Amino acid sequence: MLADLGWWNNPTPQNPSGHLDQVLAVLERYGWCQSLDTSPTGRMCIRGAQNLLERTGHVTPDARDRATAHMQTVLTRAGVDMPFWAWNDLPGQEFSHVKDLLTRAATHARTIGD
């Protein structure tokens, strides 16, 4: 699956900003969904993409947690007071909003050297 993205065996764990970039790449390649980590057709929500990347060695649990904190910071600054996974599943949510969150969170992470 990740070979389709050019990510071969023996992956290099990414820092939080790199992880967020990879989450977006996975969602763009395989599709985004709501309410399930992974749909029967292989689409994923943000958390599902994070799970895949962690299971395959593309991110450590610590870097994933820091990436999650960056997403939460971006949401909080936008006035959203809920976990990112609940925000992902809101009625009317669109992939363009998810892409914006991931992009802003990666930029925030890079700004502080993460």
Side-chain angles (χ1 to χ4, degrees):
M1 177 187 237
L2 296 177
D4 293 347
L5 291 168
W7 303 341
W8 307 103
N9 292 335
N10 303 316
T12 301
Q14 299 294 304
N15 61 10
S17 59
H19 172 63
L20 292 161
D21 291 339
Q22 284 188 335
V23 168
L24 180 56
V26 166
L27 296 178
E28 287 177 329
R29 171 65 178 89
Y30 298 104
W32 169 72
C33 72
Q34 294 179 287
S35 301
L36 299 169
D37 283 357
T38 304
S39 76
T41 61
R43 293 174 175 265
M44 290 171 252
C45 69
I46 298 169
R47 186 174 59 194
Q50 286 189 297
N51 290 342
L52 171 68
L53 291 165
E54 185 175 343
R55 274 194 323 269
T56 57
H58 287 84
V59 67
T60 64
D62 177 63
R64 177 184 174 169
D65 288 346
R66 292 189 340 254
T68 296
H70 292 301
M71 285 190 285
Q72 291 302 147
T73 295
V74 170
L75 288 173
T76 299
R77 287 180 179 172
V80 177
D81 185 28
M82 65 178 60
F84 77 90
W85 48 266
W87 174 87
N88 180 93
D89 292 346
L90 288 173
Q93 190 62 275
E94 298 177 9
F95 182 62
S96 62
H97 303 145
V98 170
K99 183 176 179 175
D100 185 59
L101 169 64
L102 293 168
T103 301
R104 288 176 184 264
T107 298
H108 177 264
R110 282 186 189 88
T111 300
I112 64 167
D114 207 7

